[in-house]
Amino acid sequence: MTSFAPDSIVLNRKLPLWYQVSQSLRASILGRSPQDPLRLPTEEQLAGHYGVSVLTMRQALKELEDEGLITRHRRRGTFIEPHARRGSPVRLLGSVDAIVAQQSGMTTELLDHGSAPVPGELAEFFPDVREVSTYHRLRSDEKTGEPTNHARNYVRPELAARIDLDDLVRWPMTKVLRDAVGADISRITDTVEARLADPETSKLLQVPLLSPILHYTGVTYNAEGRPLDVAVIHYRGDRFSFTVTLDAT
């Protein structure tokens, strides 16, 4: 039987290895194509793929098993749950692969795209350009079709020229910029605050007007500290929570 082939990552030694591996494998699972095999490689094969110990790999797999994304059968192997739902909590430890994982696993519709003047509230991030490329997407739960969030990305025009719109339906913007465009992503800063749903958000997310939502702003920087992309996302308040763990080392 052919096994599912997960993506590769470069591990950050300042973050727990099991967490990075679990999040990378999670993103691969949630972003897989329907025709991909459901059987995972063995623990030993996965450990070799990620360059970690079998013990670390076992801990990463337990995380995914607890979430319901995989099932493990003695003597038969480990299998992806084809109808597993993405869990609601969003947990961020600071790695780009963690961000990609949390954005994966939903049905995505590209509502519109184009060029627009830099919004006043984002001017500090794009001081050297007059216009940015914009992308507006709606994400829904794969199983229920329930809308969960809508996102606007504001991207530097020289990067946007290399973006394939089909990729934006398949992958999060972070993955598109890093893996398809080849952007050098150094860090992402996240800001989350509570707001009330405006008419547009109320309609798109199918929630009452002025009901609580989570307003997220994520800024993606390259190694020189230049912002490449600003994401503004509105999450349904009844579907998401954010937990941030800080590494003291």
Side-chain angles (χ1 to χ4, degrees):
M1 179 185 295
T2 303
S3 297
F4 177 73
D7 294 337
S8 299
I9 60 170
V10 176
L11 296 175
N12 181 344
R13 296 293 165 177
K14 293 184 178 181
L15 297 173
L17 297 182
W18 68 266
Y19 175 82
Q20 296 178 73
V21 170
S22 71
Q23 291 302 294
S24 175
L25 186 53
R26 183 180 189 275
S28 295
I29 289 172
L30 292 176
R32 74 190 187 284
S33 299
Q35 64 270 21
D36 286 341
L38 293 177
R39 185 173 186 172
L40 289 180
T42 65
E43 288 182 352
E44 291 77 11
Q45 290 170 331
L46 285 171
H49 174 78
Y50 286 110
V52 298
S53 69
V54 172
L55 185 62
T56 296
M57 194 66 238
R58 194 167 295 157
Q59 188 175 4
L61 290 172
K62 185 179 185 304
E63 176 83 357
L64 300 181
E65 185 179 26
D66 290 345
E67 190 178 340
L69 288 179
I70 62 173
T71 55
R72 311 179 75 184
H73 304 276
R74 191 173 183 180
R75 295 191 179 91
R76 288 181 54 211
T78 302
F79 296 83
I80 298 168
E81 280 293 324
H83 304 300
R85 288 187 63 184
R86 179 190 183 281
S88 294
V90 177
R91 302 183 304 151
L92 304 179
L93 283 184
S95 74
V96 171
D97 285 286
I99 302 292
V100 170
Q102 300 296 353
Q103 296 172 351
S104 301
M106 295 184 181
T107 300
T108 302
E109 177 186 358
L110 181 62
L111 299 178
D112 60 66
H113 67 94
S115 298
V118 177
E121 66 272 19
L122 303 182
E124 63 178 298
F125 302 116
F126 302 104
D128 58 331
V129 295
R130 292 185 177 182
E131 289 191 341
V132 288
S133 294
T134 63
Y135 304 88
H136 187 198
R137 291 173 294 167
L138 177 68
R139 299 189 183 104
S140 303
D141 186 280
E142 285 181 327
K143 186 174 182 180
T144 66
E146 178 185 60
T148 58
N149 68 83
H150 76 97
R152 278 191 171 87
N153 288 83
Y154 302 87
V155 182
R156 295 187 65 87
E158 66 270 21
L159 295 177
R162 306 203 299 272
I163 291 177
D164 187 327
L165 295 181
D166 289 338
D167 287 342
L168 286 179
V169 176
R170 299 169 52 207
W171 297 329
M173 178 64 79
T174 307
K175 182 175 178 65
V176 172
L177 290 177
R178 187 189 64 178
D179 297 346
V181 174
D184 178 18
I185 297 177
S186 175
R187 62 188 173 94
I188 300 173
T189 63
D190 304 301
T191 304
V192 182
E193 59 183 303
R195 290 196 179 180
L196 300 179
D198 57 26
E200 179 188 42
T201 297
S202 173
K203 180 179 180 181
L204 287 173
L205 300 188
Q206 299 176 15
V207 297
L209 184 64
L210 302 182
S211 62
I213 61 167
L214 292 177
H215 178 87
Y216 164 93
T217 303
V219 185
T220 300
Y221 296 87
N222 65 9
E224 287 73 42
R226 170 182 286 185
L228 307 176
D229 162 58
V230 178
V232 178
I233 309 175
H234 289 162
Y235 291 92
R236 283 183 57 147
D238 61 344
R239 288 295 310 275
F240 289 88
S241 65
F242 282 75
T243 302
V244 180
T245 301
L246 301 179
D247 186 0
T249 59

